[in-house]
Amino acid sequence: MDNQYVIGVLVSNIAGVLSRVSGMFTRRSFNIDSLTVGETESNGFSRITIAFHGDEHVKSQIVKQLAKLHDVKEVEVLDKNVTVIRELVLIKIRNTPESRQDIMTAVEIFRSKIVDYSPKALVCELTGESSKINAFIELVKPYGIIEMCRTGIVALERGENCLKSE
């Protein structure tokens, strides 16, 4: 069965690590659905969050191959039932007098916010699970999406569990 998996990867914060991680996916013909990376609370480390589709075998291979990379400190498959998963989208929507109130209502219902306003365009910021982001995009599509940028997902386990460097 083809499932989406989310993995957290703790890596050394040095040049070339992201290239080696993404290159591992390329060499083995694994597709990445989402990839985010940023510094952590610990100096010298970055955290990469990767979402991908595959079966148990693919998941196992990805985890094993990532763990073999020199600057990878820890790899963990995140259980969606005990993980906070969020995404951010900035979306520029055509602003017309006819559609403005409907867009404002959608912004309110989805707990989005308008971060830029002009007579011809609104930029909305929305965070949440990917399904919420997708629903908002579908709702505002008829008004005219001018431009959009999604971050990809970020994820942390609930409670005290966390990725730590040894």
Side-chain angles (χ1 to χ4, degrees), residues 90-91 93 95 100 103-108 111-118 121-126 136:
L90 293 175
I91 184 166
I93 306 164
N95 183 13
R100 188 171 301 125
I103 295 169
M104 301 293 266
T105 300
V107 164
E108 185 179 321
R111 294 188 183 115
S112 176
K113 59 182 160 180
I114 296 173
V115 294
D116 185 63
Y117 182 95
S118 77
L122 302 169
V123 176
C124 299
E125 173 186 310
L126 178 63
F136 184 77

Side-chain angles (χ1 to χ4, degrees), residues 132-165:
K132 177 182 177 182
I133 304 284
N134 293 337
F136 184 77
I137 291 167
E138 287 304 311
L139 186 64
V140 299
K141 223 180 241 182
Y143 306 117
I145 296 174
I146 299 168
E147 189 175 18
M148 179 173 73
C149 183
R150 292 176 82 158
T151 60
I153 64 171
V154 293
L156 287 177
E157 289 181 285
R158 295 182 187 277
E160 295 179 17
N161 293 337
C162 59
L163 292 175
K164 287 286 183 195
S165 62

Side-chain angles (χ1 to χ4, degrees), residues 17 31 39 67 72 125 130:
V17 173
N31 190 44
E39 293 180 337
V72 171
E125 173 186 310
S130 296

